[in-house]
């Protein structure tokens, strides 16, 4: 059953990517910015759903976090992407997300590493009062 859900999420995500790719602009950010607000929310919701699906196997097997290959990732880009993805969730709760300062650090991490900042930011949004900044 989980495989069927993964297939559906993959279909939604690929459709969202095609929608964004069809927009005018040279960069992914420009293409995203040219979308109407409801389409931007749809794309970010698809990204968030995909992240949540990736975390599900870790619930039943936490050791799986160290499986797979290690990737060279930019911490700033990873957190910036999550902030952009979670922005609609934060706005619905009346919480502002703010990412300050650049970071050029690159780290070698497992594919599952993205889930750590995701959980931290999601919990900060969830447990913050309205009109707070995370």
């Amino acid at each position: 059953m989980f495989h069927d859900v993964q297939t559906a999420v993959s279909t939604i995500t690929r459709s969202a990517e095609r929608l964004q790719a069809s927009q005018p602009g040279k960069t992914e950010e420009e293409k995203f910015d040219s979308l109407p607000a409801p389409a931007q929310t749809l794309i970010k919701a698809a990204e968030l759903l995909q992240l949540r699906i990736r975390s599900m196997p870790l619930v039943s097997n936490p050791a799986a976090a160290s499986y797979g290959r290690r990737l060279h990732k930019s911490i700033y880009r990873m957190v910036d992407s999550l902030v952009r993805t979670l922005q609609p969730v934060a706005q619905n709760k009346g919480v502002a997300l703010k990412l300050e300062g650049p970071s050029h650090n690159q780290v070698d991490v497992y594919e599952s590493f993205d889930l750590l900042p995701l959980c931290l930011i999601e919990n900060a949004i969830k447990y913050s009062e309205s009109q707070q900044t995370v």
Side-chain angles (χ1 to χ4, degrees):
M1 184 173 203
F2 181 66
H3 178 73
D4 294 336
V5 172
Q6 285 178 307
T7 302
V9 169
S10 179
T11 301
I12 292 167
T13 303
R14 297 297 86 75
S15 295
E17 289 171 351
R18 283 192 305 274
L19 176 63
Q20 182 172 329
S22 71
Q23 299 304 302
K26 292 181 182 175
T27 66
E28 292 302 311
E29 289 83 17
E30 288 176 359
K31 291 179 181 199
F32 179 80
D33 289 342
S34 68
L35 288 164
Q40 288 179 350
T41 301
L42 177 64
I43 287 172
K44 292 305 179 184
E47 290 173 4
L48 186 56
L49 182 58
Q50 187 173 36
L51 283 170
R52 298 312 291 154
I53 289 292
R54 283 182 38 214
S55 71
M56 291 178 84
L58 299 179
V59 172
S60 62
N61 183 13
S66 63
Y67 296 170
R69 57 193 166 111
R70 293 175 72 107
L71 305 171
H72 197 66
K73 290 190 169 191
S74 163
I75 295 293
Y76 182 86
R77 281 190 180 193
M78 184 185 331
V79 174
D80 180 60
S81 175
L82 288 170
V83 166
R84 290 173 187 259
T85 300
L86 293 169
Q87 196 72 36
V89 175
Q91 285 176 342
N92 285 343
K93 183 148 188 237
V95 173
L97 295 181
K98 184 176 183 182
L99 181 59
E100 290 184 11
S103 172
H104 303 287
N105 293 336
Q106 301 273 326
V107 292
D108 290 324
V109 294
Y110 289 108
E111 294 174 274
S112 60
F113 183 82
D114 293 9
L115 299 174
L116 290 174
L118 170 66
C119 290
L120 290 171
I121 297 169
E122 276 187 326
N123 282 336
I125 293 167
K126 181 178 179 179
Y127 295 110
S128 291
E129 292 187 25
S130 183
Q131 308 307 313
Q132 295 292 312
T133 300
V134 171

